[in-house]
Amino acid sequence: MVSITPVLLCGGSGTRLWPLSRKSYPKQFAAITGEETLFQASARRLSGEGYGVPLVVTASDFRFIVTEQLLAAGIDPGAILIEPEGRNTAPAVLAAALHVAASDPEALLLVAPSDHVVPDADAFRAAVAAGVPAAQAGQLVTFGIMPDRPETGYGYLKLAGAPDGTAPVKLDSFVEKPDVDTATAMLADGKHLWNGGIFLFRACDIIAAFETHAPTLMAPVKAACEAATTDLGFLRLDPEAWGQVEDISIDYAVMEKADNLSVVPFSAGWSDLGDWDSVWREAGPDENGVVAAGSVTAIDCSDTLLRSEAGNLEVVGIGLKDVITVAMPDAVLVADKSRAQDVKKAVEALKAKGANQATIFPKDFRPWGWYESLVIGGRFQVKRIHVHPGAALSLQSHHHRSEHWIVVEGTAKVTVDGDVKLVTENQSVYIPLGAVHRMENPGKVPMVLIEVQTGSYLGEDDIIRYEDVYSRV
């Protein structure tokens, strides 16, 4: 039985799905079209018989989210490579290939973004199986999506011949995102597929392709891998060497130059969820063309997406047509559906005015759980803090603030200047300014508390860590 190592690329920001997707918590970690997150669904799709444990390439800020979501999906986390900074897909793929090749140069790698939607996982695995013989013969196999409309937001793959089922076809050329007339013509000729950005190849073959077509990437990426350090089971690529790596996609670096490419056609449904219009399409509009998610009410609406991501915030649409409305606790998007691709302009405008909503997600996810700010005043802040069973915050102190903790769910084990005690529901504890303190959840259910901070400065950087089980000291 052939074993395939899935390589999940997990570092994008997905700004066109703002405000749900932001730099601090991008779309792959959100449940957009189902109960599972896009990342979990991707990992599950690339698992089962014939697949090894996944190798994930991600950013340091997401490392604990990755492991938490994999474990929640019942998937054993394999190697997790930490990029010191984003350098696009080419360096990420090369680092993954070098890591795997160190133990098995002929290992088959299936490289895929972690934020795509593929409803029929069995059909996708069948398409992968169809590409295995070509990959074992030294081909770089990519997967082309059979188009069902003249899409201008995707790049295309021009085939050397007409597709026949899932049999691999030689690639003629890559085509950049076209205008609508060109896309319509390509849809009609039957020899153009959408570029899904998914690849299957042996580690040795893709490394050879980099050596031939992108040799300047080899030395710094190899150095970053060789000088990588282990951190709580994560593998941190060396930041100094990684800083010398060019920011370039694998298409530009290798695929558009290689002559050993084959394409496996795939026609069982796919979306990269690149904008809210694609979310509307994938969610399955009702008979009026309305997609409603969360606490929403639609009255006489058509071809409209209404979505509320705040349980206590009801979104009501009346007489809307071709409108996208997405409500978060701290931001609301209202846009014409035809302008879905322009949402990234809103993010740029918010960045320019210094708005936190441009990049910061309302919930701040940490290795021990998460917190969200409920109220912020001039000299006070109220937070809700959720701590996973068995998890613990760092032993810390603050220069500028004191804190009141009120437990509302579960039990907290609290340390204040060496004094340790259990605080149960409806009990509270006071943390004086400068006190060395920690909270832990000793139970088997989540612990939730309300924290009231008071002081002259309430920034998250006012933390002195003395001990931390997550090595953040």
Side-chain angles (χ1 to χ4, degrees):
M1 173 65 68
V2 174
S3 180
I4 298 172
T5 298
V7 177
L8 288 167
L9 305 180
C10 196
S13 58
T15 54
R16 285 178 296 182
L17 286 188
W18 184 89
L20 179 60
S21 177
R22 309 187 198 183
K23 183 179 179 180
S24 70
Y25 198 72
K27 65 177 181 176
Q28 58 263 32
F29 301 122
I32 296 179
T33 60
E35 295 298 320
E36 288 189 313
T37 69
L38 298 178
F39 172 68
Q40 288 173 316
S42 297
R44 192 180 299 283
R45 185 166 60 249
L46 277 56
S47 64
E49 186 177 1
Y51 291 84
V53 294
L55 186 159
V56 179
V57 185
T58 190
S60 181
D61 288 347
F62 307 144
R63 65 195 190 280
F64 294 109
I65 300 174
V66 164
T67 54
E68 180 181 325
Q69 291 202 355
L70 284 175
L71 290 172
I75 297 173
D76 180 30
I80 297 177
L81 272 58
I82 307 298
E83 295 179 286
E85 52 187 310
R87 281 291 187 262
N88 216 312
T89 54
V93 172
L94 179 55
L98 290 169
H99 178 77
V100 174
S103 57
D104 185 1
E106 296 196 353
L108 279 175
L109 307 181
L110 179 60
V111 177
S114 60
D115 56 0
H116 290 182
V117 171
V118 181
D120 193 336
D122 290 337
F124 178 77
R125 286 189 284 264
V128 172
V132 166
Q136 289 178 318
Q139 290 285 297
L140 306 179
V141 178
T142 185
F143 295 82
I145 314 303
M146 296 290 290
D148 58 8
R149 62 187 185 278
E151 176 62 56
T152 60
Y154 298 150
Y156 284 70
L157 305 171
K158 182 181 179 182
L159 306 183
D164 181 15
T166 57
V169 183
K170 185 174 177 58
L171 176 70
D172 181 86
S173 62
F174 285 81
V175 181
E176 294 291 334
K177 295 177 181 178
D179 58 34
V180 66
D181 291 337
T182 303
T184 301
M186 291 192 297
L187 178 65
D189 77 8
K191 293 184 179 181
H192 289 80
L193 309 181
W194 292 335
N195 182 2
I198 305 168
F199 304 97
L200 177 69
F201 37 61
R202 294 185 304 184
C204 58
D205 294 324
I206 191 61
I207 292 171
F210 273 100
E211 290 172 337
T212 300
H213 305 295
T216 57
L217 287 175
M218 288 298 303
V221 174
K222 189 174 182 180
C225 291
E226 291 176 345
T229 56
T230 301
D231 173 12
L232 291 177
F234 306 106
L235 192 65
R236 289 185 176 273
L237 299 171
D238 180 69
E240 183 175 352
W242 197 255
Q244 306 304 312
V245 174
E246 181 183 359
D247 186 326
I248 187 171
S249 73
I250 190 170
D251 282 353
Y252 288 143
V254 172
M255 297 302 174
E256 294 188 2
K257 304 171 184 176
D259 59 4
N260 60 330
L261 265 72
S262 294
V263 182
V264 172
F266 183 70
S267 59
W270 169 92
S271 174
D272 71 344
L273 290 189
D275 58 31
W276 283 112
D277 187 45
S278 62
V279 173
W280 170 83
R281 187 180 300 111
E282 287 299 316
D286 66 15
E287 65 275 8
N288 296 314
V290 174
V291 171
S295 301
V296 302
T297 300
I299 300 173
D300 297 332
C301 295
S302 62
D303 299 329
T304 287
L305 170 67
L306 296 174
R307 187 179 185 112
S308 174
E309 292 294 327
N312 60 347
L313 194 158
E314 183 76 21
V315 174
V316 179
I318 302 176
L320 301 178
K321 180 177 175 59
D322 295 324
V323 170
I324 293 166
T325 301
V326 182
M328 298 285 291
D330 64 336
V332 178
L333 168 70
V334 181
D336 188 289
K337 197 151 68 70
S338 67
R339 302 288 301 274
Q341 290 278 339
D342 291 337
V343 171
K344 58 185 178 181
K345 294 181 180 179
V347 178
E348 294 166 0
L350 290 171
K351 285 181 180 178
K353 65 188 290 187
N356 288 336
Q357 288 91 334
T359 57
I360 306 301
F361 200 73
K363 284 185 180 179
D364 195 318
F365 290 84
R366 298 298 175 95
W368 43 261
W370 54 265
Y371 72 84
E372 61 180 336
S373 293
L374 304 177
V375 181
I376 301 177
R379 292 179 57 88
F380 76 92
Q381 180 173 199
V382 181
K383 290 181 177 179
R384 173 166 53 184
I385 300 177
H386 175 112
V387 184
H388 297 319
L393 280 67
S394 61
L395 186 67
Q396 58 186 252
S397 66
H398 310 292
H399 281 308
H400 303 288
R401 70 176 185 254
S402 60
E403 297 171 343
H404 295 262
W405 294 345
I406 305 169
V407 176
V408 293
E409 292 182 24
T411 299
K413 181 181 177 182
V414 176
T415 300
V416 181
D417 284 336
D419 181 26
V420 181
K421 63 179 179 180
L422 294 178
V423 182
T424 59
E425 290 183 14
N426 204 33
Q427 293 183 332
S428 64
V429 63
Y430 173 61
I431 314 297
L433 186 150
V436 177
H437 60 280
R438 164 183 277 159
M439 75 172 76
E440 305 172 55
N441 180 359
K444 298 184 181 297
V445 297
M447 183 268 289
V448 180
L449 60 81
I450 302 301
E451 177 182 84
V452 181
Q453 302 176 351
T454 57
S456 59
Y457 177 72
L458 306 174
E460 288 302 313
D461 54 349
D462 180 22
I463 296 179
I464 303 170
R465 288 193 174 100
Y466 304 97
E467 295 177 7
D468 184 54
V469 296
Y470 310 107
S471 299
R472 295 173 298 165
V473 176

